[in-house]
Amino acid sequence: MIDDQETKMRAVEIRTFGAPEGLAVIDLPSPVPAEGEVLIGVEAIGVGGVDTVIRSGALAGFGFQEGHIPGNEVAGTVTSVGGGVDPAWIGRRVWAFTGEGGGYVEQVAIPAGKVLPLPENLAAADAVALGTSGMVARFALAHAHFAAGESVLVRGAAGSIGIMAVQLAASGGASAVAVTTSSAGRGDRLRELGATHVLDRSGAGDGPAGYDVIIDIVSGVDMPSFFDRLNPNGRLVVVGVVAGMPPSDFGAQLMASFRKSLSFAAFSADSIPEPDRLAASADQFAAAARGELRSVVQELLPLEKAVLAHRKMDDGEVFGRIVLTP
C-alpha cells in the first residue's frame, strides 16, 4: 500500500506470465537516489525480445517471477543525485542499463557508474535502439571470431540486434552479409543497412553456398538445420531464443558434420565485464552521432501501451525497436 503523501510513479509489471495481456500498469513509490546513485527521469524505454520471452514465462526457471518489471535499458535526464555523486550530473542526458529488468518505469535510480552521457545530437529513442543491441551484436561477432573477408548470415535480422549485426558485419569487411527475414520489404530495408543477400525464414533464397559465421537471434526448433549452411571451420553463435529453445538433441546434427570442424556457442552479454560493455555502448553512441551507425525505431508508444508493444513483438510486426515513452 502506497501512502497518500508519497510521490508516486507509473510502472509496468508482469502480473501473470503468458500473453501480453498479463502486463499491467501499476503505481510505485518514486525512487530516491541512494549513496552513489543518480535519479533518471525516463524519456525512452527500449522494448526488447528478451522482455517478451521473460513475460511469456519461458525463463521462469532462471529466477524470473510474476511481479517482475521488464526492460533493461532507458534514456532520459538526470534529475537528482545521491551522496557522493558529482552534482554536475544533474540535467545531463544519459543512457543506462538497468540489468535484468526494472526499465518499464517513469523514474529509475541507478549507480552513477552504470550511466553513460549521451552525445547532444543523439535522441533518447535512438539511444535505446542502439545501446544493448549494438553492444550484443559487437561482442557476438567477436565471440564468433569474425574477420574481414568472411561471409556472415544473420538469422532474424529485422530485430534491433540483427540490424546492428548487419551493419557491424558490413562495416567490418564481410565478403557477404546474408539475412533471413519475413518479407521482401524488410529485405529491402536490410539491404540499405548493408545486407547483400536476402533469404526467407527457412534460409532459402539466393545466397552464398555456405557461411563462415552465423549469428542466430531466433534459435527454436529449426536452429540445427543451419549447421548445414556453415563452411568448414564455420561458427554458429546463438544470441537469442525469440522462437524458443532449440531441440535438446541439436548436438547430433553438429556431430554429423564432424569432419567440417564446426563450432557452436551461446553468447550472453553477462559474460562480458561491465566496463567493457559500457565502453562498447559509448563507442557506438559516438559512431551514431557521427552518422556511422543507424538506429531503427519503428514506433514510439506511451508506457501504458506496453501490452500493444508486446503484441506487435509477438506477431513479428516490428522492424528495429519499439520504444515506450512515459
Side-chain angles (χ1 to χ4, degrees):
M1 188 77 173
I2 298 174
D3 188 288
D4 288 342
Q5 301 304 310
E6 279 186 312
T7 304
K8 302 174 186 178
M9 71 168 183
R10 292 178 307 156
V12 173
E13 71 169 3
I14 301 172
R15 182 157 294 170
T16 55
F17 284 139
E21 288 70 22
L23 296 171
V25 179
I26 60 172
D27 286 334
L28 290 176
S30 294
V32 175
E35 184 82 14
E37 291 185 335
V38 302
L39 182 66
I40 301 171
V42 176
E43 298 164 14
I45 303 158
V47 178
V50 68
D51 299 345
T52 66
V53 176
I54 292 171
R55 185 218 71 229
S56 74
L59 299 183
F62 291 88
F64 293 99
Q65 299 179 355
E66 292 177 341
H68 177 78
I69 295 173
N72 64 18
E73 63 183 310
V74 301
T77 300
V78 175
T79 58
S80 64
V81 299
V85 178
D86 186 346
W89 275 104
I90 297 174
R92 298 186 75 176
R93 298 175 57 255
V94 298
W95 171 91
F97 177 67
T98 60
E100 294 182 332
Y104 286 21
V105 293
E106 292 182 308
Q107 300 176 76
V108 63
I110 193 163
K114 296 179 181 289
V115 171
L116 292 174
L118 290 177
E120 289 185 6
N121 61 338
L122 187 67
D126 291 323
V128 296
L130 288 164
T132 57
S133 299
M135 179 270 294
V136 168
R138 172 173 169 168
F139 285 115
L141 285 164
H143 201 66
H145 301 286
F146 163 68
E150 292 189 313
S151 55
V152 177
L153 169 63
V154 181
R155 184 171 178 236
S160 54
I161 294 174
I163 284 170
M164 293 305 298
V166 167
Q167 293 184 74
L168 293 173
S171 64
S175 60
V177 183
V179 295
T180 69
T181 190
S182 60
S183 71
R186 290 185 170 198
D188 289 341
R189 296 182 70 182
L190 288 163
R191 287 184 189 277
E192 293 174 2
L193 294 167
T196 57
H197 300 81
V198 176
L199 315 176
D200 67 17
R201 284 179 170 174
S202 72
D206 182 20
Y211 303 92
D212 301 303
V213 170
I214 297 177
I215 301 297
D216 189 343
I217 301 131
V218 179
S219 197
V221 296
D222 295 329
M223 186 273 286
S225 68
F226 282 81
F227 289 134
D228 296 338
R229 301 174 185 275
L230 286 171
N231 291 331
N233 300 303
R235 293 87 70 195
L236 188 152
V237 175
V238 169
V239 299
V241 290
V242 294
M245 294 291 185
S248 58
D249 63 348
F250 74 85
Q253 193 147 350
L254 180 67
M255 294 303 291
S257 300
F258 186 86
R259 297 179 67 186
K260 291 174 69 177
S261 300
L262 305 181
S263 298
F264 167 84
F267 173 74
S268 167
D270 291 340
S271 63
I272 303 298
E274 185 172 64
D276 294 343
R277 297 199 305 264
L278 290 172
S281 293
D283 286 348
Q284 292 180 336
F285 291 149
R290 295 191 299 268
E292 296 168 7
L293 280 177
R294 289 173 56 187
S295 66
V296 178
V297 176
Q298 171 169 305
E299 189 173 5
L300 301 176
L301 290 173
L303 183 63
E304 60 267 23
K305 296 289 188 181
V307 169
L308 176 59
H310 276 236
R311 282 191 198 130
K312 290 174 178 282
M313 293 286 288
D314 284 0
D315 292 343
E317 295 181 17
V318 181
F319 185 88
R321 190 73 120 170
I322 288 182
V323 175
L324 297 176
T325 58

